[in-house]
Amino acid sequence: MPPSRADRDAMTMAGLNLIQQALTIYDQKLRLAVCNRRFQEMFDLPDALVTPGADFADTIRYLAARGDYGDVGCVDDFVSTRVEIARAFEPHYMERTRANGRTISVEGTPLPQGGWVTVYTDISTTKRQEALLRARSAELSDQLLSYSEDLSAANRELEATITALEEAKSQITEAEARTRLTAEMMPAHIAHVGPDRCYTYSNRRLTSVMPGSRADLIGVHVAEVLGPQPWSLIRPELDRAYAGQPSVFEFTHEPSARRIRVALTPDPTSGGVYILSMDITRESQTRAALQQTRRREMAAQLTSGLAHDFSNLLTIILGMQSRLGRMGLPDPAQDLVNATLAAARRGGGLLGRIADMTGPREHEPVPTDLSAFLGDLETLARSTLPSGIALRIETEGTADRYLLDAGMLQDSLLNLVLNARDACGSRGSITITAHPVQDTWLEFTVDDTGPGFTPEAINHALDPFFTTKGGEGSGLGLSMVYDMTKLAGGRVTLGNSGDGGRVALRLPLRPAGTARPPGLVLLVEDSPDLRSALREMLRGAGHSVIEATSVDEAAALIADLPEISVVLSDIVLEGHRSGLDLADVPRRDDCPLILMTSLPPDDPLARSAADRAPVLRKPFTALQLDAALASGDGA
């Protein structure tokens, strides 16, 4: 066990008392901080002047009044002068003979944090030896004796200077260590490259910012350290920095799929360049999601008025065509009426899809079991495929749970499956693959064995209303996929594999951690039919279920059954109390309350509920319910 602070202080003072020199440390307010016993003995001082906190001026006044400095004239003026010198303290070495005939050397050094340390050495014996040498060595010239004395004094002064230099070196070393530690702790790569584009300095953050880069980089060229793709993007900016133009730019680091921001600052003193590199992947993902939200808001403002007017016109057309259809027109005319009705209804459906694209929709990620999600997706997707098309779902290196908006992702992947089905025709195969990309993205790819994308489709397939299906396609399917993926801060890429088309969705990789194990769920719902459906969902996920229809029943069960792990309650219940009142019922800290509602978000009761507990909005799927229970959160 290491010694305590008090023990260390006692040991330090004992060591100071053993040295032959007197030592004092005064702080920046000229108050005594530390002195050893030798200081009191050398100057025969009273206890009050060797007690921490003693005033420097009082000590000088005491010694001057006693005659220790000889005849000083006015004691107050002498003390005032010494105090002013102390306030502007500078390193010094001096020798003086005291009133008692003894000679002492005084060596003072300032401290970095203010104040100073002084060492007093009794050199009377050395001085007597010098005097004896002068008296007994008549054969030595006065010049030689004087030189010897000067050399001795110079040596003592040199020792004092060396001590000051060593202290300064120690301070500089500590400052350099602090600076280097600060550079190492920053979440960025800090480096300097010389005129030859080789690294002269670097902290140890490069491989954490840009994985796959070379770690031992001092003296190595930037191109060799970073690799071909990053170097091709950084090189033009680095050339401008060498020409004296600072720059800040961003690029995608393909080996790690990360987004990197780089700041280059010319170094005019050496002809090199300072480099600061930061991983801004999450920032760019959030920025993309915000930009897509703003685009949706603008699109909604532009289309809502037009959609309203067109809806009115289509309603009029449908009404008039229906009247024409009841007039007993000949068959050719009736065919035209039917075709007009079909086109108008298709226009109405198109307006509905436009409203879906531009209407308000929030990205709401929740902890999602990837295997269960893909299992549900497979069930839905197979029901849409003809018997001649095979569906395969693969996972590579994935964890159990991720933060995903399961509804949005399911809509997107089903849309891609339907497009792949149309591309394959009556026979073929579709493969859905999920795998992580470094520690940055969770990628879902949909491959088909169709003819693949044409160059025009690759360039424009994500544009609204672009379609290769002629009159049968709306041109909004991939646009909706793009929209929902961008809302999540992700990316969509189109291309062709060796066997057909490929669409890849990259979503931010957010592992959700370990799921809450199944437990006893208290279900509070006053509708018997809904309670029965929720009971089946909960049991299907492995939970045990007990039920209540009111807050009073639920409160009694919570009090009697401490093993309840989750309380799942509707907001509106029978009786005068709502599900919000359950938030005030005492329960275990690890027993969350999750509220359910079909009330609109702007309803006062729904807003109050959102402030008290997670809210799960109806209708919801078994997957969404399981995710909410597993995390103790709502959607």
Side-chain angles (χ1 to χ4, degrees), residues 4 6 14 19 52 63 79 123 132 137 187 272 278 354 359 364 379 388 406 410 627:
S4 65
I19 64 177
L63 293 174
V79 171
I123 58 173
L132 184 62
S137 304
M278 298 180 64
I354 293 174
E364 299 175 337
T379 300
Q410 188 179 84

Side-chain angles (χ1 to χ4, degrees), residues 49-216:
L49 295 180
V50 295
T51 302
D55 188 57
F56 173 75
D58 292 342
T59 303
I60 298 298
R61 180 175 285 104
Y62 177 85
L63 293 174
R66 195 176 65 184
D68 205 76
Y69 296 100
D71 184 10
V72 297
C74 177
V75 172
D76 289 338
D77 291 344
F78 177 77
V79 171
S80 177
T81 300
R82 292 297 299 269
V83 167
E84 290 304 316
I85 293 173
R87 292 190 187 281
F89 194 85
E90 295 182 356
H92 66 274
Y93 175 85
M94 58 175 290
E95 298 176 358
R96 71 177 179 89
T97 302
R98 300 174 58 206
N100 61 5
R102 301 195 69 82
T103 303
I104 61 171
S105 67
V106 182
E107 175 186 340
T109 304
L111 298 173
Q113 54 270 57
W116 71 91
V117 59
T118 306
V119 177
Y120 309 85
T121 306
D122 189 334
I123 58 173
S124 301
T125 301
T126 302
K127 285 295 185 180
R128 284 197 299 269
Q129 290 174 350
E130 291 175 354
L132 184 62
L133 178 65
R134 177 181 289 276
R136 294 184 177 180
S137 304
E139 69 276 9
L140 295 176
S141 66
D142 291 340
Q143 182 179 3
L144 181 59
L145 287 172
S146 177
Y147 174 77
S148 177
E149 292 175 355
D150 291 344
L151 181 61
S152 179
N155 284 337
R156 290 192 290 270
E157 186 170 356
L158 180 60
E159 289 178 359
T161 302
I162 290 173
T163 301
L165 289 175
E166 288 178 347
E167 177 62 25
K169 177 183 177 182
S170 174
Q171 294 296 325
I172 292 173
T173 301
E174 290 180 6
E176 181 182 357
R178 285 194 297 270
T179 302
R180 180 172 290 276
L181 179 61
T182 301
E184 295 296 341
M185 292 179 65
M186 289 186 65
H189 176 229
I190 303 172
H192 180 272
V193 291
D196 57 356
R197 289 167 171 72
C198 293
Y199 285 94
T200 61
Y201 167 81
S202 172
N203 66 357
R204 289 175 289 184
R205 290 285 184 175
L206 178 59
T207 54
S208 63
V209 173
M210 290 184 268
S213 303
R214 181 168 171 171
D216 54 330

Side-chain angles (χ1 to χ4, degrees), residues 277-296:
S277 307
M278 298 180 64
D279 178 3
I280 60 165
T281 304
R282 293 205 173 190
E283 176 188 330
S284 65
Q285 291 168 348
T286 304
R287 187 171 59 204
L290 290 174
Q291 289 173 347
Q292 188 64 14
T293 300
R294 294 192 186 99
R295 291 193 190 103
R296 288 171 60 88

Side-chain angles (χ1 to χ4, degrees), residues 19-24 36 38-39 42-43 118-121:
I19 64 177
Q20 294 302 309
Q21 290 95 342
L23 179 142
T24 61
N36 64 354
R38 180 64 176 149
F39 177 63
M42 180 179 288
F43 294 101
T118 306
V119 177
Y120 309 85
T121 306

Side-chain angles (χ1 to χ4, degrees), residues 438-454:
Q438 298 287 342
D439 57 353
T440 308
W441 303 101
L442 180 61
E443 184 172 84
F444 296 86
T445 59
V446 179
D447 293 278
D448 63 61
T449 56
F453 290 101
T454 65

